[in-house]
């Protein structure tokens, strides 16, 4: 399968919290990918003509109040955005690409499958996935319905978990969650998924404070347990700057207050925050 360019859709914050993530992801994609890449940054917009339009004050456009991030439900809109033609890759912004995206772009999507994604340990992860946009038309709800339903994202996640035939599994390391148990050389796409330990916080939070703004993540910030992965992000950040990339290339007019879930009780994942041993832990299975 081939197209003139690889289409990559990235979910990101509309208030400039994710500039560092966007720059590093953009640079890492182009550093490793041998084909042209077209990136669509999916961000909430106040523009009524935008596909990502939302006006929570008037109850118009995307209803995000049940979302965990400012972009959770956008991944389901990609096939319709593409006119239900060809393929499209979806990614969260918190990724570092360490391989040629051609490999993922051309991954088979077999049988009844409409998307290629990670299904390790019976957990469906659509935070990096490849859509067959034409086949997805028969499965996904029209965007007009999805954007008006604040629980639409959760409903579709449940549907895909209950129908595993819709997903063609790919190599786990295309969505390597916080390093898992892999060495860097074996990771194809690093997803620094724990929102409390993200490498970009040490850049973005001080920057936002100077700008009089706050990050959309309102949970506890803590160090990532694998320093070499943090160092990898730092290296790519500096390489991007040295190559002429700039945070200002990704800045947009801020959207404003985003109705969404709070992360005050966010617990991360078992990779960055291993279960504690001890009697109480065993009793309560934590």
């Amino acid at each position: 399968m081939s197209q003139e360019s690889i289409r990559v859709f990235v979910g990101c914050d509309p208030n400039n919290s994710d500039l560092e993530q966007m720059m590093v992801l953009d640079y890492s994609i182009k550093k490793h990918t041998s084909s042209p890449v077209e990136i669509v940054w999916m961000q909430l917009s106040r523009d009524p003509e935008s596909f990502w339009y939302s006006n929570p004050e008037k109850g118009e456009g995307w209803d995000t109040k049940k979302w965990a991030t400012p972009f959770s439900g956008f991944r389901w809109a990609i096939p319709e955005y593409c006119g239900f033609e060809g393929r499209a890759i979806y990614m969260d912004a918190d990724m570092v690409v360490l391989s040629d995206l051609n490999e993922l772009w051309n991954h088979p999507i077999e049988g009844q499958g409409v998307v290629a994604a990670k299904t390790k340990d019976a957990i469906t992860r659509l935070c990096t996935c490849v859509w067959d946009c034409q086949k997805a038309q028969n499965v996904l709800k029209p965007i007009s319905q999805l954007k008006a339903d604040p629980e639409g994202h959760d409903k579709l996640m449940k549907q895909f978990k209950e129908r595993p035939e819709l997903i063609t599994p790919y190599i786990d390391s295309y969505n390597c969650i916080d390093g898992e148990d892999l060495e860097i050389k074996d990771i194809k796409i690093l997803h620094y998924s724990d929102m409390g330990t993200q490498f970009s916080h040490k850049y973005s939070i001080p920057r936002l404070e100077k700008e009089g703004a706050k990050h959309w993540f309102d949970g506890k910030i803590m160090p990532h347990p694998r320093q070499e992965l943090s160092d990898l992000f730092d290296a790519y950040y500096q390489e991007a700057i040295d190559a002429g990339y700039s945070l200002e290339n990704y800045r947009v007019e801020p959207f404003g207050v985003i109705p969404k879930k709070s992360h005050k009780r966010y617990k991360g994942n078992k990779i960055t925050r291993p279960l504690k041993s001890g009697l109480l832990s065993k009793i309560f299975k934590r």
Side-chain angles (χ1 to χ4, degrees):
M1 177 168 300
S2 63
Q3 281 190 321
E4 184 175 349
S5 61
I6 295 173
R7 299 185 293 189
V8 179
F9 290 75
V10 181
C12 43
D13 167 72
N15 290 323
N16 300 314
S17 295
D18 294 342
L19 302 183
E20 290 80 6
Q21 294 185 0
M22 296 163 73
M23 183 181 73
V24 169
L25 176 57
D26 188 7
Y27 171 75
S28 69
I29 287 173
K30 291 167 183 173
K31 174 178 179 175
H32 293 286
T33 304
S34 57
S35 295
V37 177
E38 173 192 350
I39 298 178
V40 176
W41 304 106
M42 299 189 296
Q43 297 166 289
L44 289 167
S45 171
R46 295 284 182 175
D47 180 1
E49 299 301 315
S50 171
F51 203 83
W52 320 112
Y53 169 67
S54 178
N55 189 325
E57 295 81 10
K58 293 184 177 181
E60 297 176 348
W62 290 91
D63 188 336
T64 65
K65 60 179 173 284
K66 294 292 184 71
W67 293 6
T69 73
F71 49 83
S72 297
F74 284 165
R75 71 201 69 194
W76 312 106
I78 294 170
E80 187 166 330
Y81 182 101
C82 295
F84 298 110
E85 296 180 350
R87 286 192 168 205
I89 293 175
Y90 169 73
M91 292 183 176
D92 292 347
D94 50 352
M95 306 272 183
V96 182
V97 173
L98 301 173
S99 61
D100 191 329
L101 279 186
N102 275 290
E103 301 170 13
L104 182 58
W105 179 251
N106 291 299
H107 193 283
I109 301 177
E110 302 168 333
Q112 298 180 53
V114 302
V115 67
K118 184 172 185 172
T119 60
K120 184 179 180 181
D121 300 327
I123 297 176
T124 301
R125 294 189 180 273
L126 296 175
C127 34
T128 296
C129 61
V130 189
W131 287 105
D132 182 319
C133 297
Q134 182 178 6
K135 292 173 71 177
Q137 184 174 11
N138 298 322
V139 176
L140 299 178
K141 294 180 180 179
I143 298 308
S144 58
Q145 295 180 26
L146 179 61
K147 66 173 56 175
D149 184 357
E151 297 181 346
H153 169 62
D154 290 337
K155 289 176 181 177
L156 280 167
M157 284 299 298
K158 184 174 185 291
Q159 175 185 340
F160 273 67
K161 288 176 182 178
E162 292 174 347
R163 296 187 60 191
E165 71 275 10
L166 296 177
I167 304 171
T168 296
Y170 61 41
I171 300 170
D172 290 342
S173 58
Y174 281 123
N175 187 5
C176 180
I177 308 298
D178 286 297
E180 300 183 39
D181 56 353
L182 297 180
E183 296 181 28
I184 291 176
K185 66 180 179 62
D186 296 320
I187 298 173
K188 291 184 177 293
I189 299 176
L190 172 63
H191 184 189
Y192 46 106
S193 174
D194 184 334
M195 292 183 283
T197 66
Q198 290 187 338
F199 315 124
S200 51
H201 286 324
K202 70 178 180 182
Y203 300 98
S204 61
I205 290 177
R207 171 180 59 78
L208 289 164
E209 287 178 353
K210 290 180 181 179
E211 296 171 1
K214 291 184 178 181
H215 200 282
W216 60 266
F217 177 70
D218 59 356
K220 183 180 179 180
I221 305 296
M222 58 188 68
H224 196 282
R226 288 185 59 177
Q227 183 61 43
E228 77 275 23
L229 298 182
S230 180
D231 293 342
L232 175 71
F233 182 90
D234 291 343
Y236 271 66
Y237 180 91
Q238 189 58 51
E239 284 182 27
I241 296 293
D242 293 343
Y245 287 67
S246 168
L247 299 182
E248 296 308 308
N249 293 341
Y250 308 92
R251 190 180 293 275
V252 296
E253 183 68 26
F255 177 85
V257 177
I258 306 167
K260 68 170 188 64
K261 293 180 181 179
S262 172
H263 298 99
K264 295 292 187 182
R265 302 177 67 183
Y266 180 71
K267 297 180 180 178
N269 60 56
K270 65 182 180 180
I271 298 164
T272 52
R273 311 182 200 197
L275 300 180
K276 295 180 180 179
S277 60
L279 180 60
L280 289 177
S281 298
K282 293 178 181 178
I283 292 173
F284 293 103
K285 296 182 179 180
R286 297 189 207 171

